[in-house]
C-alpha cells in the first residue's frame, strides 16, 4: 500500500429534527453517524455495507463535505478538510466526486446529458475547446453503455438504469482521485452491472482512483472491495480485508446480514435457512444504551446494555466491536 | 387469451416523439396478469419494463403515444378511461411503486401527509384513524419511531426508507393489483426479505396480484410464480419460474442467467457482460432485437422478428425454436 488517501476519525454527523412530542417546536438530534473511523489506501476500494438507514450515505456525503460534520476529522491527502470553509474546499471539488444513490434528483432536469457531463469538463479546464469537449463526452457516454445519440436528451427521457449510468459518466468525467459510489449499480441488470464494475476497476488500475463503495449487494461488494466495513445504527461494527471478513465473520450482526442473501435459484429459495433478526429495528432518534445491536442480538448479555463495545483489532487488521470477542480475546 | 385475467394487454405499442425521431420503447407486448398471481418482469436496462407498466397507468409525458389492441383492467377499458377515472383507479384498485421514489414523493409534504392521503380519499377514513393506520404501515415496512417519522419530510429519510414509504403508500389500500417497479433496489437483504414477505401476505389475504419488475433474479426466484423476459421493447420468453431458471429456451435468457454467476466468490476474476449493446430504439432492427448479440443467430434472425410461440406450454420468441417446431 502506498499510504492512505482518506482517513476518517471519530466522525459524527447529527441532524436536527423537530421533536413531535414537544409543543414548543423544540428540536432533538438524530445521530445518523456516531463515531466512525476508517482509512482507505490510495487506489483501493473500501466497501461499506449495512441495513437501510444505518448511515452509509451520510458517511459518504460527509466525507465529501456535502454536510459539515458535527465532530471528527476527515484527512484527505494529508489535509484535514472537515473544518474548511466552502471557498477553501473548492479546489478539492474536482478531486472528490460522488455517484448518487438517487440518480434523478442529482441530475439537473433542464440540462441535456451532454451539458451534465460536459460542464464540469469546462469548469475545471479539462478540455480546451468545444470539439474536444464533445469528443470526451461521447467517449464517456459510450463507456457506460449509452449511445452517442443520447447526448442531446434530457434526464427524464431515460430509464432508471440509464439515468444511473449518466451519473456514473459525470463522476468519472473530471478524473477525480476519490469517488464515493453510493449504490452505483443497484438499478442495473447483471450484464450492465458487470460492464460498469469492470469500468470502475479499469479506471482504478489505470488512474489509481480510490473508491468508497456503498452497496447493499454483498456479492458486488465482495467482488470490488479490498476492505469492507459493516455499519449498524451509525457505527462501524466490523471491518477487515475482504476475504478475511467474508470467511471469518466475527460480529453477530454481520453473520445475520450475510445469511439473508437470496440466491437466483427457486428451489434453493424454498429450503434456504436464514438467521431472522428478532426485535424491532432501533431508531437513531432513540438509540439503545451500550451496544447498538444488543436489542436484536441472540448472544447479548448484561454488559452489552451497559457499555458500548469499542472497535478493536481482533486479528491482524480484522476489527470488530463486540463484547463477546474482547471477553474471549 | 384468458377471460379471467385481471389485467389484459394485447399488442401494446408505446413510442416517444423526439425532436430527432421517434423512440419505439414498447413494440408489441402481450401480457395477462391473473388475479392473485405473482408475476416477475426482467430484462436489460432500457428494454421497456417501466414504460410498459406506466402505459397501463396512463402516466407518461405528453410526447408519448400509447396504442394497443386491448388494454383492460378488471373488465374496464383503460384506453378510453378519462383522466378522472384513471385517478380513482390509481391508488385504490391499482397500487404503484415507482422506480424513482424521490420524484413520486412530494418534497413539500410530510411523510405522514402522503401516507394518509389515499386512506382519506379512497377509504374515507377520519384523520385520526388514517394517522393511526399510517403509523402502523410505517412500522410494517421496518421504520422505527413512526410517530416522529410521520412528521418528517422525504429529504430527511435515507434512500431505502423513501423506497419503503412508497411501498407503504402503494399497499395501504390493499389494491387488486400492485405494480412494483424495482421496489427493493435500495434495500439490504434483511429488509428486502421482510418487504417481499409483506407482499406475499397481501396476496394471500386480499388476493392482490403483484407485477414485480426487477433486475434481481434472486428476488424473482424467491417470490414469483411466472416470469416474463423482455428485450428491446419485446417479450422474448415467458413461463413458470422454475422452467425459466432451470431450462431457459431463449438465448437472451440463457445469457442473462449466465452473467449472474461469477460474482461473490473470493476470486477476483473479470466479469463477463453479454457482449454488444442493446438495439437503437429509434431505428429498431427488422429482425430479432437480440440477433446482433446472439451467438446462435442465423440469416433469418436479422430479417424478420420471430413471434412469441407456444412450445409445449412454454412461450419464447426465437427462430431456433420455430425451426425445431416445423422440422
Ligand atoms: N420520456 C421518454 N422519452 C424518450 N424516451 C424514453 C422516455 N422514457 C423512456 N424512454 C426510453 O424508452 C426505453 C425504455 O425505457 P424503460 O424506462 O421502460 O426501461 P426499463 O426497462 O424500465 O429500464 P431500467 O431497468 O433501466 O429501468 C429506454 O430506451 C428509454 O431511453
Ligand atoms: N438531511 C437529513 N435530515 C435529517 N435526517 C437525515 C438526513 N439525512 C439522513 N437522515 C437520517 O439519517 C439516518 C441515516 O441515513 P442514510 O441516508 O445515511 O442511511 P443509509 O445507510 O444510506 O440508508 P439506505 O441504505 O436506505 O440508503 C436515517 O435515519 C435518516 O433518516
Ligand atoms: Mg443511502
Ligand atoms: Mg425502469
Amino acid at each position: 500500500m502506498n499510504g492512505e488517501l482518506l482517513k476518517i476519525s471519530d466522525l459524527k454527523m447529527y441532524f436536527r429534527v423537530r421533536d413531535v412530542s414537544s409543543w414548543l417546536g423544540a428540536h432533538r438530534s438524530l445521530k445518523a453517524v456516531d463515531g466512525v473511523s476508517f482509512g482507505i489506501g490510495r487506489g483501493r476500494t473500501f466497501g461499506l455495507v449495512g441495513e437501510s438507514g444505518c448511515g452509509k450515505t451520510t458517511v459518504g456525503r460527509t466525507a465529501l463535505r456535502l454536510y459539515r460534520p458535527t465532530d471528527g476529522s476527515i484527512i484527505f491527502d494529508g489535509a484535514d478538510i472537515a473544518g474548511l470553509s466552502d471557498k477553501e474546499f473548492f479546489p478539492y471539488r474536482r478531486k472528490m466526486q460522488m455517484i448518487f444513490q438517487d440518480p434523478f434528483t442529482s441530475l439537473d432536469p433542464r440540462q441535456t446529458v451532454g451539458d451534465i457531463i460536459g460542464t464540469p469538463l469546462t469548469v475545471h479546464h479539462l478540455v480546451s475547446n468545444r470539439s474536444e469537449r464533445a469528443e470526451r463526452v461521447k467517449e464517456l457516454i459510450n463507456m457506460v453503455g449509452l449511445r452517442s445519440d443520447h447526448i442531446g436528451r434530457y434526464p427524464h427521457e431515460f430509464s432508471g438504469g440509464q439515468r444511473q449510468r449518466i451519473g456514473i459518466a459525470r463522476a468519472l468525467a473530471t478524473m477525480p482521485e476519490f469517488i464515493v459510489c453510493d449504490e452505483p449499480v443497484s438499478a442495473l441488470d447483471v450484464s450492465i452491472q458487470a460492464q460498469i464494475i469492470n469500468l470502475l476497476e479499469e479506471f482504478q488500475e489505470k488512474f489509481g482512483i480510490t473508491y468508497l463503495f456503498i452497496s447493499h449487494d454483498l456479492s458486488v461488494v465482495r467482488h470490488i472491495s479490498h476492505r469492507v466495513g459493516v455499519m449498524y445504527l451509525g457505527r462501524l461494527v466490523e471491518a477487515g480485508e475482504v476475504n478475511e471478513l467474508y470467511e471469518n465473520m466475527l460480529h453477530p450482526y454481520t453473520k445475520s446480514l450475510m445469511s439473508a442473501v437470496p440466491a437466483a435459484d427457486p428451489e434453493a429459495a424454498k429450503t434456504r435457512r436464514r438467521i431472522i433478526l428478532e426485535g424491532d429495528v432501533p431508531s437513531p432518534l432513540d438509540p439503545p444504551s451500550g451496544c447498538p445491536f444488543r436489542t436484536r442480538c441472540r448472544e447479548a448479555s448484561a454488559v452489552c446494555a451497559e457499555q458500548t463495545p469499542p472497535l478493536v483489532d481482533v486479528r491482524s487488521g480484522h476489527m470488530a466491536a463486540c463484547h463477546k470477542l474482547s471477553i474471549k480475546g | 387469451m384468458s377471460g379471467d385475467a385481471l389485467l389484459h394487454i394485447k399488442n401494446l405499442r408505446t413510442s416517444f416523439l423526439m425532436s430527432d425521431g421517434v423512440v419505439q420503447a414498447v413494440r408489441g407486448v402481450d401480457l395477462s396478469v391473473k388475479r392473485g398471481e405473482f408475476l416477475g418482469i426482467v430484462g436489460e436496462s432500457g428494454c421497456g419494463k417501466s414504460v410498459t407498466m406506466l402505459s397501463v397507468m396512463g402516466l407518461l409525458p405528453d410526447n408519448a403515444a400509447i396504442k394497443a389492441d386491448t388494454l383492460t383492467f378488471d373488465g374496464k377499458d383503460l384506453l378510453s378511461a378519462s383522466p378522472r377515472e384513471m385517478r380513482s383507479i390509481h391508488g385504490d384498485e391499482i397500487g404503484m411503486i415507482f422506480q424513482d421514489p424521490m420524484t413520486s414523493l412530494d418534497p413539500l409534504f410530510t411523510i405522514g401527509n402522503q401516507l394518509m392521503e389515499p386512506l382519506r380519499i379512497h377509504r374515507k377514513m377520519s384523520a385520526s384513524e388514517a394517522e393511526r393506520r399510517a403509523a402502523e404501515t410505517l412500522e410494517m415496512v421496518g421504520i422505527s419511531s413512526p410517530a416522529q417519522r410521520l412528521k418528517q419530510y422525504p429529504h430527511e429519510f435515507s434512500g431505502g426508507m423513501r423506497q419503503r414509504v412508497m411501498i407503504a403508500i402503494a399497499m395501504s389500500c390493499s389494491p387488486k393489483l400492485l405494480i412494483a417497479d424495482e421496489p427493493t433496489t435500495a434495500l439490504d437483504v434483511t429488509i428486502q426479505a421482510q418487504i417481499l414477505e409483506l407482499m406475499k401476505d397481501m396476496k394471500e389475504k386480499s388476493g392482490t396480484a403483484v407485477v414485480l419488475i426487477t433486475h434481481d433474479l434472486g428476488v424473482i426466484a424467491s417470490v414469483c410464480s411466472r416470469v416474463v423476459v423482455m428485450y428491446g421493447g419485446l417479450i422474448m420468453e415467458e413461463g413458470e419460474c422454475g422452467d425459466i431458471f432451470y431450462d431457459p429456451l431463449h438465448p437472451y435468457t440463457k445469457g442473462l442467467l449466465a452473467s449472474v454467476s461469477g460474482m461473490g466468490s473470493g476470486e477476483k476474476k473479470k466479469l463477463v457482460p453479454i457482449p454488444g449493446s442493446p438495439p437503437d430504439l429509434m431505428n429498431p432492427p427488422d429482425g430479432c432485437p437480440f440477433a446482433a448479440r446472439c451467438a446462435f443467430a442465423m440469416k433469418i434472425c436479422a430479417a424478420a422478428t420471430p413471434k412469441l410461440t407456444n412450445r409445449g406450454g412454454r412461450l419464447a420468441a426465437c427462430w431456433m425454436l420455430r425451426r425445431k417446431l416445423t422440422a
Side-chain angles (χ1 to χ4, degrees), chain A residues 17-20 28 30 51-53 101-102 104-105 147 153 157 159-163 165 186-195 197-198 216 219-220 222-225 243 257 260-267 269 274 281-285, chain B residues 18 23 43-46 99-100 102-103 142 144-145 147-149 151-152 156 158-162 164 185-193 215 217-218 221-222 241 245-246 256 259 263-266 268-271 273-274 278-280 282:
Chain A
V17 298
R18 248 193 68 222
D19 186 351
V20 287
R28 56 199 283 196
L30 184 152
E51 193 160 59
S52 169
Q101 181 172 13
D102 185 340
F104 198 61
T105 41
R147 323 175 67 87
R153 294 203 205 157
E157 297 169 339
S159 79
Q162 288 169 338
R163 278 176 216 160
R165 287 179 276 159
S186 63
L188 302 176
D189 54 279
V190 276
S191 176
I192 290 171
Q193 238 179 45
Q195 189 182 338
I197 286 170
N198 287 343
H216 69 274
S219 44
V220 171
R222 178 163 200 183
H223 180 89
I224 199 164
S225 309
N243 285 335
L257 187 70
V261 184
D265 183 340
E267 282 307 312
R274 281 193 197 131
V281 186
S283 162
L285 287 158
Chain B
M18 314 290 288
V23 175
E44 194 161 62
S45 173
Q99 193 171 5
D100 229 320
M102 231 9 204
T103 44
S144 47
S145 311
Q148 171 78 42
R149 291 295 193 178
K151 300 286 189 260
Q152 292 190 311
E156 298 176 302
S158 80
M161 287 162 67
R162 280 178 215 144
R164 285 180 277 158
T185 40
L187 300 180
D188 51 283
V189 280
T190 329
I191 291 171
Q192 183 183 71
H215 66 273
L217 296 169
S222 56
C241 191
F245 277 92
Y246 298 126
L256 197 65
S259 48
M263 225 184 291
S265 65
K268 276 229 181 276
K269 53 181 175 197
K270 209 162 156 72
L271 304 171
I274 301 174
D280 176 4
M282 238 181 225

Side-chain angles (χ1 to χ4, degrees), chain B residues 30-48:
Chain B
D30 294 347
L31 193 68
S32 298
V33 183
K34 297 188 208 78
R35 279 169 213 283
E37 92 167 316
F38 223 119
L39 174 76
I41 304 183
V42 292
E44 194 161 62
S45 173
C47 72

Side-chain angles (χ1 to χ4, degrees), chain B residues 109-164:
Chain B
F109 288 92
T110 63
I111 297 294
N113 263 318
Q114 305 187 52
L115 267 164
M116 285 156 62
E117 194 189 65
L119 294 170
R120 302 211 57 188
I121 295 176
H122 299 299
R123 290 287 171 272
K124 309 275 184 290
M125 284 187 187
S126 69
S128 61
E129 212 180 339
E131 183 160 349
R132 209 183 49 238
R133 182 87 191 105
E136 277 168 21
T137 29
L138 268 194
E139 270 204 299
M140 252 164 47
V141 294
I143 294 178
S144 47
S145 311
Q148 171 78 42
R149 291 295 193 178
L150 285 177
K151 300 286 189 260
Q152 292 190 311
Y153 291 86
H155 77 270
E156 298 176 302
F157 275 42
S158 80
M161 287 162 67
R162 280 178 215 144
Q163 211 168 25
R164 285 180 277 158

Side-chain angles (χ1 to χ4, degrees), chain B residues 37-116:
Chain B
E37 92 167 316
F38 223 119
L39 174 76
I41 304 183
V42 292
E44 194 161 62
S45 173
C47 72
K49 305 179 296 290
S50 300
V51 171
T52 300
M53 291 332 274
L54 291 170
S55 305
V56 169
M57 300 297 297
L59 291 173
L60 287 168
D62 291 340
N63 69 330
I66 305 170
K67 294 196 192 102
D69 296 352
T70 314
L71 186 55
T72 57
F73 170 73
D74 205 12
K76 288 186 275 285
D77 180 18
L78 296 184
L79 283 172
S80 62
S82 69
R84 206 169 138 255
E85 284 169 307
M86 281 314 289
R87 268 200 302 278
S88 80
I89 292 175
H90 183 191
D92 183 9
E93 291 173 80
I94 304 182
M96 173 125 193
I97 301 164
F98 296 90
Q99 193 171 5
D100 229 320
M102 231 9 204
T103 44
S104 36
L105 288 175
D106 191 325
L108 301 178
F109 288 92
T110 63
I111 297 294
N113 263 318
Q114 305 187 52
L115 267 164
M116 285 156 62

